[in-house]
Each structure stands twice: as structure tokens, then as C-alpha cells.
Amino acid sequence: MSDLQARIARIYEQLPPHVRLIAVTKQVAPDIMRAAYGAGLRDFGESKLQEALEKQQQLQDLSDIRWHFIGHLQTNKAKKAIAQFEWIHAVDSLKLAQRLNDLAAQGDRHPKLCLQVKPLEDPQKYGWPFPQLLQELPQLEQCTHLDIQGLMTILPLGLSESESLAAFRAVGDLAAQIIRRSPLTLGELSMGMSGDYRLAVQAGATMVRLGRILFGDRPQTP
Ligand SMILES: *Cc1c(COP(=O)(O)O)cnc(C)c1O
């Protein structure tokens, strides 16, 4: 068994069966992705559109890969993303949601979406502060062409374990609150990365997005 296969197997052993493992392959070469596919992975997450499109081209023979776009999506790239991804995880503004809704209304592609939320103040991260999302729910509900599946979050760096757990739980509580007051069904919680996925799972994550723990450290980007 290769190291990669062993790492994948170890993660699968740890995850409850209802939690989907998304392999985050930004900066990972297509031949390594192919090996990961060979080891059983089918869900791949990319955060840069151009890089993702090139890899989709190179791996198009692996036709049952489910591609997840997990990065910040600019409105002007929404059309490409909607055509090429089964999931879009980081819908982080009403403007982007409305643009995706318009595109979905015109075409026949309906990717599954998550709304990115910020349980804590974090100027470096995109996403809805909770009060703003609650306030904008009526407009989101009018986006009837969207297939909104759940919430997504990325926590700020440097939190303690108890702070991370509390923040992940707050995202789950927000989803429950929205389900009670709105027709949106938010069954999915996309949360947890290499450093904090155990806590995310403890708090109810249904999808974890793992990069470094599977593929090793990425080269530093300037
Ligand atoms: C890079 C990235 C991940 C994976 O992070 P690791 O620490 O490598 O596991 C998860 N989610 C998003 C949105 C990312 O950009």
C-alpha cells in the first residue's frame, strides 16, 4: 500500500459513514489525483477556477469524479463554475447567489450550493455574518432556481479546540434555526479541514474538506 493509500484509509476509518470526504487538491498534480481516485476517492475540491478547469480536462476519463468548487467565487466567473462543478461550497453573498440563480434559470445546470457563514469576526474571510444571513433569507428564498443544501464555514486561524468546537456548533445551530423559520432545507454542513476536522465532525459536519493531511504540505504561495 502506498503512503497516500494508507493516509486515505486512515481517514476513512476515523470518519463516521455519513460524513463525505472531499479531497482538496489545490496545487496537487493530476497524477497524484489519479492515484487518490485509484484509492477510492471520488469527491475532489478545488479553490482556483483556472487550475481546476485544467485538471478536469486532464482527468476527464475519470468520469465519476464529483467536482466541488470550494474557493471564493467571483461573480464574473459564476457561469463557468456552474457549468463545471457539481457542488459550489462558498456562496458568500446575496449578489453571488442572485447571479447563480439567474444562470440556473437560463440553463439546465443546478449545482448544489452551500452558503458560507462566519461564526466569528474574521476580516480575512469571506462569508455572511449570522445576523446578515438571517436578514437576507427572504431574498435568498426568492432564488427558487438554486439548490441550496447547507452551510459552509472556514474558521479563523489560532483558535483553541474549545473555541473551534463552539464555533462549529454555532454553525449547526444556525442551520437549525434557519430550517425552523424558512423553507430552505440545510441538511449539509461543510466544515473541517486538516487541522480541525475531528472537532467539526463532533459538531455535526456532513462534509470535511481535507488537503494537507492527505497530500502533505503545499508549497508556500507568496
Ligand atoms: C485549502 C482548503 C482546505 C483544505 O485545507 P487543509 O488544511 O489542506 O486540509 C479546505 N477548505 C478550503 C476552502 C480550502 O481552501
Side-chain angles (χ1 to χ4, degrees):
M1 203 193 301
S2 73
D3 286 355
L4 178 61
Q5 280 174 318
R7 287 196 292 266
I8 293 170
R10 188 152 8 99
I11 299 289
Y12 272 127
E13 273 164 30
Q14 288 171 18
L15 292 178
H18 66 275
V19 177
R20 187 196 299 239
L21 169 58
I22 300 171
V24 175
T25 48
K26 57 190 182 202
Q27 300 183 44
V28 173
D31 55 327
I32 296 175
M33 294 171 68
R34 211 171 264 285
Y37 178 95
L41 289 179
R42 289 297 177 271
D43 290 276
F44 289 84
E46 291 280 343
S47 59
K48 296 249 159 52
L49 195 59
Q50 194 52 43
E51 178 184 344
L53 297 178
E54 284 165 24
K55 289 179 184 171
Q56 289 180 340
Q57 195 76 36
Q58 288 165 291
L59 299 173
Q60 56 181 310
D61 56 307
L62 309 180
S63 58
D64 60 344
I65 289 184
R66 289 179 293 270
W67 292 98
H68 299 252
F69 193 74
I70 62 171
H72 170 64
L73 183 59
Q74 290 163 279
T75 313
N76 63 353
K77 296 187 177 160
K79 188 169 187 173
K80 201 90 212 171
I82 225 176
Q84 294 296 126
F85 290 85
E86 194 163 327
W87 282 82
I88 297 178
H89 284 245
V91 178
D92 57 9
S93 69
L94 185 58
K95 181 171 161 238
L96 176 61
Q98 289 171 334
R99 173 75 181 136
L100 289 166
N101 187 59
D102 290 344
L103 290 165
Q106 292 160 20
D108 49 9
R109 300 279 311 204
H110 297 268
K112 299 177 175 71
L113 309 180
C114 293
L115 307 175
Q116 182 176 2
V117 296
K118 286 199 290 194
L120 298 162
E121 196 40 55
D122 182 1
Q124 294 183 20
K125 288 285 185 303
Y126 296 101
W128 269 283
F130 289 10
Q132 189 185 348
L133 180 61
L134 292 171
Q135 206 173 14
E136 293 180 350
L137 278 180
Q139 288 103 303
L140 282 167
E141 287 162 14
Q142 283 164 18
C143 294
T144 51
H145 297 279
L146 295 184
D147 184 4
I148 299 173
Q149 294 269 329
L151 300 181
M152 178 269 202
T153 200
I154 305 171
L155 297 188
L157 296 173
L159 299 183
S160 70
E161 290 204 352
S162 62
E163 287 166 336
S164 297
L165 189 58
F168 285 136
R169 289 203 166 121
V171 174
D173 290 346
L174 178 65
Q177 192 184 340
I178 292 172
I179 291 167
R180 281 197 301 274
R181 67 154 85 169
S182 127
L184 296 178
T185 46
L186 300 176
E188 302 280 351
L189 294 174
S190 169
M191 52 190 202
M193 313 187 357
S194 294
D196 57 15
Y197 73 96
R198 288 187 189 81
L199 300 167
V201 168
Q202 220 177 310
T206 62
M207 297 189 270
V208 293
R209 309 177 310 269
L210 303 185
R212 288 171 299 138
I213 203 169
L214 296 173
F215 302 106
D217 284 337
R218 290 177 290 274
Q220 290 297 319
T221 39

